[in-house]
Coordinates of all heavy atoms in Angstrom, one line a residue:
V269 N -10.6 -9.9 -1.9 CA -12.0 -9.5 -2.2 C -12.1 -9.1 -3.7 O -13.3 -8.8 -4.1 CB -12.3 -8.2 -1.4 CG1 -12.3 -8.5 0.1 CG2 -11.3 -7.0 -1.7
G270 N -11.1 -9.1 -4.5 CA -11.3 -8.7 -5.9 C -9.9 -8.6 -6.6 O -8.9 -9.1 -6.1
R271 N -10.0 -7.9 -7.7 CA -8.8 -7.7 -8.5 C -8.0 -6.4 -8.1 O -8.7 -5.5 -7.7 CB -9.2 -7.6 -10.0 CG -9.7 -8.9 -10.5 CD -10.1 -8.8 -11.9 NE -10.4 -10.1 -12.4 CZ -9.9 -10.6 -13.5 NH1 -9.2 -9.9 -14.3 NH2 -10.2 -11.9 -13.8
P272 N -6.7 -6.4 -8.3 CA -5.9 -7.4 -8.9 C -5.5 -8.5 -7.9 O -5.7 -8.3 -6.7 CB -4.6 -6.6 -9.3 CG -4.6 -5.5 -8.4 CD -6.0 -5.1 -8.1
K273 N -5.2 -9.7 -8.4 CA -4.8 -10.8 -7.6 C -3.4 -11.2 -7.8 O -2.8 -11.9 -6.9 CB -5.7 -12.0 -7.9 CG -7.2 -11.8 -7.5 CD -8.0 -13.1 -7.7 CE -9.4 -12.9 -7.3 NZ -9.7 -12.6 -5.9
N274 N -2.8 -10.8 -8.9 CA -1.3 -11.0 -9.1 C -0.4 -10.4 -8.0 O -0.5 -9.2 -7.9 CB -1.0 -10.6 -10.5 CG 0.4 -11.0 -10.9 OD1 1.3 -11.2 -10.1 ND2 0.6 -11.1 -12.2
P275 N 0.3 -11.2 -7.3 CA 1.2 -10.6 -6.3 C 2.2 -9.5 -6.8 O 2.6 -8.7 -6.1 CB 2.0 -11.7 -5.7 CG 1.3 -13.0 -6.1 CD 0.5 -12.6 -7.4
A276 N 2.5 -9.6 -8.1 CA 3.4 -8.6 -8.7 C 2.8 -7.2 -8.7 O 3.5 -6.2 -8.7 CB 3.8 -8.9 -10.1
F277 N 1.4 -7.1 -8.6 CA 0.7 -5.9 -8.6 C 0.2 -5.5 -7.2 O -0.7 -4.5 -7.1 CB -0.4 -5.9 -9.6 CG 0.0 -6.3 -11.0 CD1 -0.7 -7.3 -11.7 CD2 1.1 -5.8 -11.6 CE1 -0.4 -7.6 -13.0 CE2 1.5 -6.2 -12.8 CZ 0.8 -7.1 -13.6
L278 N 0.6 -6.2 -6.2 CA 0.1 -5.9 -4.8 C 1.2 -5.6 -3.9 O 2.2 -6.4 -3.8 CB -0.7 -7.2 -4.4 CG -1.9 -7.6 -5.2 CD1 -2.4 -8.9 -4.8 CD2 -3.0 -6.5 -5.1
L279 N 1.1 -4.5 -3.1 CA 2.1 -4.1 -2.1 C 2.0 -5.1 -0.9 O 0.9 -5.4 -0.4 CB 1.8 -2.7 -1.7 CG 2.1 -1.6 -2.7 CD1 1.5 -0.3 -2.2 CD2 3.7 -1.5 -2.9
Q280 N 3.1 -5.4 -0.4 CA 3.2 -6.0 0.9 C 3.0 -5.0 2.0 O 3.1 -3.8 1.8 CB 4.6 -6.6 1.1 CG 5.0 -7.8 0.0 CD 4.0 -9.0 0.2 OE1 3.8 -9.4 1.3 NE2 3.6 -9.5 -0.9
A281 N 2.7 -5.5 3.2 CA 2.5 -4.5 4.3 C 3.7 -3.7 4.5 O 4.9 -4.1 4.5 CB 2.3 -5.4 5.6
D282 N 3.5 -2.4 4.6 CA 4.5 -1.4 4.9 C 5.6 -1.3 3.8 O 6.6 -0.7 4.0 CB 5.3 -1.6 6.2 CG 4.3 -1.5 7.4 OD1 3.4 -0.6 7.3 OD2 4.5 -2.1 8.4
E283 N 5.3 -1.8 2.6 CA 6.3 -1.8 1.5 C 6.6 -0.4 1.1 O 7.9 -0.1 0.9 CB 5.8 -2.6 0.3 CG 6.9 -2.8 -0.7 CD 6.5 -3.8 -1.8 OE1 5.4 -4.4 -1.8 OE2 7.3 -3.9 -2.8
L284 N 5.7 0.5 1.0 CA 6.0 1.9 0.6 C 6.8 2.5 1.6 O 7.8 3.3 1.3 CB 4.8 2.6 0.2 CG 4.0 2.3 -1.1 CD1 2.7 3.1 -1.2 CD2 4.9 2.3 -2.3
L285 N 6.5 2.3 2.9 CA 7.4 2.9 4.0 C 8.8 2.4 3.9 O 9.7 3.2 4.1 CB 6.7 2.5 5.3 CG 5.4 3.1 5.7 CD1 4.9 2.6 7.0 CD2 5.5 4.6 5.7
T286 N 9.0 1.2 3.6 CA 10.3 0.7 3.5 C 11.1 1.2 2.3 O 12.2 1.6 2.4 CB 10.3 -0.9 3.5 OG1 9.6 -1.4 4.7 CG2 11.7 -1.5 3.4
Q287 N 10.4 1.1 1.2 CA 11.0 1.5 -0.1 C 11.4 3.0 -0.1 O 12.4 3.4 -0.8 CB 10.1 1.1 -1.3 CG 10.1 -0.3 -1.6 CD 11.5 -0.9 -1.9 OE1 12.2 -0.3 -2.6 NE2 11.7 -2.1 -1.4
F288 N 10.6 3.8 0.5 CA 10.7 5.3 0.4 C 11.1 5.9 1.8 O 10.6 6.9 2.2 CB 9.5 5.9 -0.2 CG 9.3 5.5 -1.7 CD1 8.4 4.5 -1.9 CD2 10.0 6.1 -2.7 CE1 8.2 4.1 -3.3 CE2 9.9 5.7 -4.0 CZ 8.9 4.7 -4.3
D289 N 12.0 5.2 2.5 CA 12.3 5.6 3.9 C 13.1 6.8 3.9 O 13.3 7.4 5.0 CB 13.0 4.4 4.6 CG 14.3 4.0 4.0 OD1 14.7 4.5 2.9 OD2 15.1 3.2 4.6
E290 N 13.7 7.4 2.8 CA 14.3 8.6 2.9 C 13.4 9.8 2.7 O 13.9 11.0 2.5 CB 15.5 8.7 1.8 CG 15.1 8.6 0.4 CD 14.9 7.2 -0.1 OE1 14.9 6.2 0.7 OE2 14.8 7.0 -1.3
F291 N 12.1 9.5 2.7 CA 11.1 10.6 2.6 C 10.5 10.8 4.0 O 10.3 9.8 4.7 CB 10.0 10.2 1.7 CG 10.3 10.2 0.2 CD1 11.3 9.4 -0.3 CD2 9.7 11.2 -0.6 CE1 11.6 9.4 -1.7 CE2 10.1 11.2 -1.9 CZ 11.0 10.4 -2.5
D292 N 10.2 12.1 4.3 CA 9.4 12.3 5.6 C 8.0 12.0 5.2 O 7.4 12.5 4.3 CB 9.6 13.8 6.0 CG 11.0 14.0 6.4 OD1 11.6 13.2 7.1 OD2 11.5 15.1 6.2
I293 N 7.3 11.2 6.1 CA 6.0 10.8 5.8 C 5.0 11.9 6.3 O 5.0 12.3 7.4 CB 5.7 9.5 6.7 CG1 6.7 8.4 6.3 CG2 4.2 9.0 6.4 CD1 6.9 8.1 4.9
L294 N 4.2 12.4 5.4 CA 3.2 13.4 5.6 C 1.8 12.7 5.8 O 0.9 13.2 6.5 CB 3.1 14.4 4.5 CG 4.4 15.1 4.1 CD1 4.2 16.0 2.9 CD2 4.9 15.8 5.3
H295 N 1.6 11.6 5.2 CA 0.4 10.8 5.3 C 0.7 9.3 5.0 O 1.4 9.1 4.0 CB -0.7 11.3 4.4 CG -1.9 10.3 4.3 ND1 -2.8 10.3 5.3 CD2 -2.2 9.5 3.4 CE1 -3.8 9.3 5.0 NE2 -3.4 8.8 3.8
Y296 N 0.3 8.4 5.8 CA 0.3 7.0 5.4 C -0.9 6.2 5.9 O -1.3 6.4 7.1 CB 1.6 6.3 5.9 CG 1.8 5.0 5.3 CD1 2.4 4.8 4.0 CD2 1.4 3.8 6.0 CE1 2.4 3.6 3.4 CE2 1.6 2.6 5.4 CZ 2.1 2.5 4.1 OH 2.2 1.3 3.5
F297 N -1.4 5.4 5.1 CA -2.6 4.6 5.5 C -2.5 3.3 4.7 O -2.2 3.3 3.5 CB -3.9 5.3 5.2 CG -5.1 4.5 5.4 CD1 -5.6 4.2 6.7 CD2 -5.8 3.8 4.4 CE1 -6.7 3.5 7.0 CE2 -6.9 3.0 4.6 CZ -7.4 2.9 5.9
E298 N -2.8 2.2 5.3 CA -3.1 0.9 4.7 C -4.3 0.4 5.2 O -4.6 0.2 6.4 CB -2.0 -0.1 5.0 CG -0.7 0.1 4.2 CD 0.3 -1.1 4.4 OE1 -0.1 -2.2 4.7 OE2 1.5 -0.8 4.3
G299 N -5.2 0.0 4.2 CA -6.5 -0.6 4.7 C -7.6 -0.4 3.6 O -7.3 -0.1 2.5
N300 N -8.8 -0.4 4.1 CA -10.0 -0.4 3.2 C -10.3 1.1 2.9 O -10.6 1.8 3.8 CB -11.2 -1.1 3.9 CG -12.4 -1.1 3.0 OD1 -12.4 -0.7 1.8 ND2 -13.6 -1.5 3.6
V301 N -10.2 1.4 1.6 CA -10.5 2.8 1.2 C -11.9 2.8 0.4 O -12.3 3.8 0.0 CB -9.4 3.5 0.3 CG1 -8.1 3.6 1.1 CG2 -9.2 2.6 -1.0
G302 N -12.5 1.6 0.4 CA -13.8 1.5 -0.3 C -14.9 1.7 0.8 O -14.9 2.6 1.6
C303 N -15.8 0.7 0.8 CA -16.9 0.7 1.8 C -17.0 -0.8 2.3 O -16.4 -1.6 1.8 CB -18.2 1.3 1.2 SG -18.8 0.3 -0.2
E304 N -17.9 -1.0 3.2 CA -18.2 -2.4 3.7 C -18.7 -3.3 2.6 O -18.4 -4.4 2.5 CB -19.1 -2.4 4.9 CG -18.4 -1.7 6.1 CD -19.4 -1.7 7.3 OE1 -20.3 -2.5 7.4 OE2 -19.1 -0.9 8.2
D305 N -19.6 -2.8 1.8 CA -20.2 -3.6 0.7 C -19.2 -3.9 -0.4 O -19.2 -5.0 -0.9 CB -21.4 -2.9 0.1 CG -22.5 -2.7 1.1 OD1 -22.6 -3.5 2.0 OD2 -23.3 -1.8 0.9

C-alpha cells in the first residue's frame, strides 16, 4: 500500500515475537494501524 517497500525495512509476520522471545508480552499487534482510506 505504500512505503517503505524494501524488505530490509519490513518485519516478517511474528518476527518481533520470535526475536524477543525472552520478553513477557504485554501487548502485541500486527495489522493496519491507519484507517481504511
Side-chain angles (χ1 to χ4, degrees):
V269 298
R271 293 178 170 229
K273 292 188 180 294
N274 184 336
F277 306 135
L278 300 169
L279 289 166
Q280 297 294 319
D282 295 331
E283 186 171 359
L284 290 178
L285 291 174
T286 302
Q287 289 297 323
F288 297 99
D289 61 351
E290 64 272 13
F291 286 69
D292 291 324
I293 307 307
L294 304 179
H295 168 77
Y296 191 78
F297 173 79
E298 279 188 33
N300 182 7
V301 297
C303 61
E304 290 179 21
D305 294 334

